[in-house]
Amino acid sequence: ADILFSNDFDCIEDEQVEVSPLDEESEDDAIDPLLFVQKYISSDDTVKRQRVARSLADAMRWTESDSDVEVVLLAAEQLAMDIEPRVRIDVIEELPDITAFCLEDSRSIDIVLNRLLPVLAKYLCDPHDQVRKSGHATLFSMLEHQLIGSVDVEHFVVPVLSKMASADSCMSQLEAARVVMRVAPMLEPEVIGRVFIPLIGILSCAQFFEVRKTCASGFGPLSQAVPGDDNKRTVLPLFRSLCSDSVWGVRKGCTETFVDVSLACTPEQRRDVLCQLFLSFLQDSSKWVSEFWNADIS
């Protein structure tokens, strides 16, 4: 047993650990981030451009003048259009820290509005799947940390989502639905009702059932974000329509969020709207809906 243990240990000792090129030490490590950005922003080496992208937030902290800030912003805008998806992903992951730094100085708020948010919006419909997902995650993170607000989303994000929702593509509409149903509850009720409810209405009538199902599954948080009569006037009609969808998977999606919708409703709304839906699920033509509903309410 001792010999076997010794041999196993030797194997571990001799094993070569692969080091990413991004983690390798370089003589440039001693250069301050701002100079590093200036030196390698246009490098033909993808790894160096990735390092530049990953150092953008640090470079912004090194800025001492408006011209220094402009160097970082131009680098972010240039790398946001880089041919390599890996570089674009690294840029998007730096945006929250850059935005947070800019918001610390009221003079830099215009930078966020005019330079950084257009970059963020561009990523939401990037042709590369992983870049788009990183863009979505960054948008959610910036909203959760209150780095951007309802007005910013309305001006910069909604136009992109509207274009995605109207595209004749299941994937485009599906991603629009995922973002819309996640973002809407984070916003002010007035913006939800005026801007997002019409968009959700379009997506809830999409020809692709996957899109409608995604909408159905997000109505719990949406209902809780729109209080009182506004909920009855705007949210519940859309939810009721999806509850009678021709595809059982959409109806089942409604059952999964039904309790959360109910909790956001007034007693009158439960009596006038939800009771009828409750009974319809019990008698649904699909056993996948009726059996799930019976088991769930038990």
Side-chain angles (χ1 to χ4, degrees):
D2 292 340
I3 295 176
L4 289 174
F5 179 83
S6 177
N7 288 341
D8 289 344
F9 182 81
D10 290 340
C11 289
I12 295 173
E13 286 288 312
D14 293 337
E15 183 179 355
Q16 296 296 317
V17 179
E18 184 177 352
V19 178
S20 167
L22 287 168
D23 298 325
E24 292 178 353
E25 293 185 0
S26 166
E27 60 182 13
D28 293 315
D29 290 344
I31 301 178
D32 74 61
L34 188 59
L35 290 176
F36 186 82
V37 168
Q38 292 173 306
K39 184 176 180 180
Y40 291 115
I41 178 59
S42 298
S43 173
D44 293 332
D45 187 339
T46 300
V47 172
K48 282 189 169 58
R49 296 200 309 280
Q50 275 191 273
R51 284 180 166 174
V52 171
R54 293 185 178 189
S55 66
L56 289 173
D58 287 338
M60 185 63 84
R61 297 185 185 97
W62 278 73
T63 57
E64 297 179 349
S65 64
D66 290 343
S67 60
D68 289 344
V69 172
E70 185 65 16
V71 167
V72 179
L73 293 175
L74 287 173
E77 291 169 339
Q78 178 176 329
L79 293 176
M81 298 183 292
D82 197 275
I83 192 173
E84 282 290 338
R86 293 172 296 173
V87 176
R88 302 201 299 275
I89 290 172
D90 286 331
V91 173
I92 193 72
E93 291 177 350
E94 290 288 289
L95 283 184
D97 285 341
I98 297 175
T99 301
F101 176 84
C102 291
L103 292 177
E104 291 175 1
D105 184 349
S106 60
R107 294 174 303 173
S108 300
I109 292 178
D110 286 343
I111 292 175
V112 176
L113 295 179
N114 299 322
R115 305 291 289 275
L116 298 181
L117 288 181
V119 172
L120 173 61
K122 176 181 178 294
Y123 279 111
L124 300 180
C125 55
D126 191 276
H128 192 274
D129 178 66
Q130 196 57 49
V131 177
R132 291 196 306 276
K133 289 180 179 178
S134 295
H136 300 165
T138 296
L139 171 62
F140 303 152
S141 175
M142 292 176 73
L143 277 167
E144 288 168 354
H145 291 88
Q146 299 182 335
L147 296 176
I148 57 177
S150 296
V151 174
D152 305 323
V153 171
E154 179 180 355
H155 289 166
F156 293 98
V157 176
V158 169
V160 178
L161 295 176
S162 297
K163 185 177 180 180
M164 294 169 64
S166 60
D168 188 19
S169 162
C170 179
M171 183 56 66
S172 180
Q173 292 184 13
L174 185 59
E175 291 194 353
R178 288 169 178 165
V179 175
V180 165
M181 300 309 291
R182 175 76 180 271
V183 167
M186 301 183 189
L187 307 178
E188 298 172 2
E190 189 274 333
V191 174
I192 299 174
R194 178 170 51 83
V195 179
F196 274 79
I197 291 298
L199 192 54
I200 294 170
I202 293 172
L203 292 166
S204 295
C205 296
Q207 68 180 52
F208 307 105
F209 83 88
E210 298 93 339
V211 178
R212 304 196 303 275
K213 181 179 179 181
T214 298
C215 291
S217 300
F219 266 83
L222 180 66
S223 293
Q224 294 169 12
V226 181
D229 291 338
D230 288 338
N231 183 40
K232 180 179 181 180
R233 180 175 54 84
T234 61
V235 177
L236 286 182
L238 294 176
F239 183 68
R240 181 166 52 188
S241 175
L242 289 170
C243 287
S244 58
D245 194 275
S246 60
V247 176
W248 71 264
V250 178
R251 301 196 302 275
K252 184 172 181 293
C254 291
T255 67
E256 292 168 354
T257 193
F258 191 92
V259 172
D260 291 332
V261 172
S262 176
L263 291 173
C265 292
T266 64
E268 293 77 13
Q269 291 167 1
R270 296 190 191 116
R271 182 193 64 221
D272 297 340
V273 180
L274 297 186
C275 280
Q276 182 180 357
L277 299 176
F278 182 97
L279 294 175
S280 70
F281 289 141
L282 289 175
Q283 302 167 353
D284 196 276
S285 58
S286 169
K287 68 175 184 177
W288 301 108
V289 177
S290 59
E291 290 182 2
F292 173 85
W293 187 238
N294 276 282
D296 193 53
I297 62 175
S298 297

